[in-house]
């Protein structure tokens, strides 16, 4: 699997962080940046470097479970799915893609084999996800946690990390009890547009939208 330069940079930053810290870190990646590719690369690297230990990837919806697993399969390695909504509860392979509730309801089956939990859409951190991580960490105190999101800011609680990419602490006025210790990498939509990886989004407005609808109606009619 070949990564884009910024995907490789995000992978490297996260892997470097967990290599020296037990505290959770996160990656900010704009919508369309290919977070599933970054997740796949991180899971593959950590599995290889850890001597075969297991990795759990949590995502809130079955669609993301299926999508993220498909991208991981491109690495040439197998992966399991543990999600009732996705139609499978399997722990056969060392990399497992699951949904929080299904994993939480069967947490005793996960044992102490896991060295890393990756949380997709980590801005939506829930008590269930935190409970899963806490119970897995009780079995393996060296468990690492990496989150990925396009929106690292929550309306009610502010930023989800304590320190930004540059290591500067987030102002107490801008965050309330953030879960992640560090934002290790950030790639914004405008940067991806400038690099040619995303196409600019144009808003045509209500009048323009009505005009398009009328034109289509005339042509079809």
């Amino acid at each position: 699997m070949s990564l884009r330069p910024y995907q490789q940079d995000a992978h490297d930053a996260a892997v470097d962080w967990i290599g020296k810290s037990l505290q959770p870190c996160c990656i900010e990646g704009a919508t369309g940046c290919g977070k599933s590719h970054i997740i796949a690369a991180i899971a593959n690297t950590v599995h290889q470097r850890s001597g075969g230990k297991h990795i759990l990837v949590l995502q809130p919806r079955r669609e993301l479970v299926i999508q993220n697993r498909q991208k991981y399969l491109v690495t040439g390695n197998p992966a399991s799915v543990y999600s009732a909504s996705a139609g499978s509860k399997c722990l056969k392979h060392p990399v497992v893609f699951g949904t929080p509730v299904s994993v939480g309801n069967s947490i005793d089956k996960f044992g102490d084999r896991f060295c890393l939990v990756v949380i997709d859409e980590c801005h939506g951190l829930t008590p269930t996800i935190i409970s899963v991580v806490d119970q897995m960490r009780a079995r393996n105190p060296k468990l690492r946690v990496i989150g990925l999101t396009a929106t690292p800011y929550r309306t009610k609680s502010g930023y989800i990390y304590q320190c930004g990419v540059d290591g500067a602490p987030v102002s107490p006025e801008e965050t309330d009890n953030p879960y992640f210790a560090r934002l290790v990498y950030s790639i914004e939509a405008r940067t991806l547009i400038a690099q040619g990886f995303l196409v600019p989004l144009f808003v045509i407005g209500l009048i323009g939208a009505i005009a398009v609808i009328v034109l289509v109606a005339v042509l079809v009619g």
Side-chain angles (χ1 to χ4, degrees), residues 124-141:
L125 206 64
T126 65
T128 298
I129 295 175
I130 294 174
S131 175
V132 166
V133 172
D134 288 346
Q135 292 183 73
M136 294 181 73
R137 182 173 283 127
R139 294 173 171 83
N140 176 16

Side-chain angles (χ1 to χ4, degrees), residues 134-191:
D134 288 346
Q135 292 183 73
M136 294 181 73
R137 182 173 283 127
R139 294 173 171 83
N140 176 16
K142 294 184 179 180
L143 182 78
R144 267 64 168 181
V145 179
I146 299 172
L148 295 94
T149 180
T151 53
Y153 185 90
R154 304 181 72 172
T155 302
K156 294 183 178 181
S157 55
Y159 289 102
I160 61 174
Y161 51 82
Q162 298 172 22
C163 297
V165 175
D166 59 0
V170 176
S171 168
E173 289 77 25
E174 296 182 295
T175 187
D176 180 20
N177 193 29
Y179 185 81
F180 297 94
R182 181 77 170 265
L183 177 68
V184 294
Y185 189 81
S186 176
I187 184 74
E188 299 179 343
R190 60 184 177 183
T191 302

Side-chain angles (χ1 to χ4, degrees), residues 3-54:
L3 297 178
R4 295 172 177 174
Y6 67 85
Q7 293 171 338
Q8 186 66 54
D9 290 343
H11 161 278
D12 294 349
V15 170
D16 178 67
W17 175 268
I18 64 174
K20 60 186 180 184
S21 177
L22 291 173
Q23 294 184 300
C25 71
C26 64
I27 295 169
E28 176 187 4
T31 300
C33 77
K35 288 189 290 295
S36 56
H37 290 281
I38 298 171
I39 290 171
I42 290 173
N44 188 49
T45 295
V46 174
H47 172 61
Q48 299 297 332
R49 293 185 182 180
S50 67
K53 286 190 177 293
H54 292 212

Side-chain angles (χ1 to χ4, degrees), residues 12-13 55 66 88 92 95 108 110 115 123 142 145 154 194 200:
D12 294 349
I55 291 93
I66 296 170
S88 177
K92 178 180 179 180
V95 176
D108 290 340
F110 284 75
C115 67
H123 59 276
K142 294 184 179 180
V145 179
R154 304 181 72 172

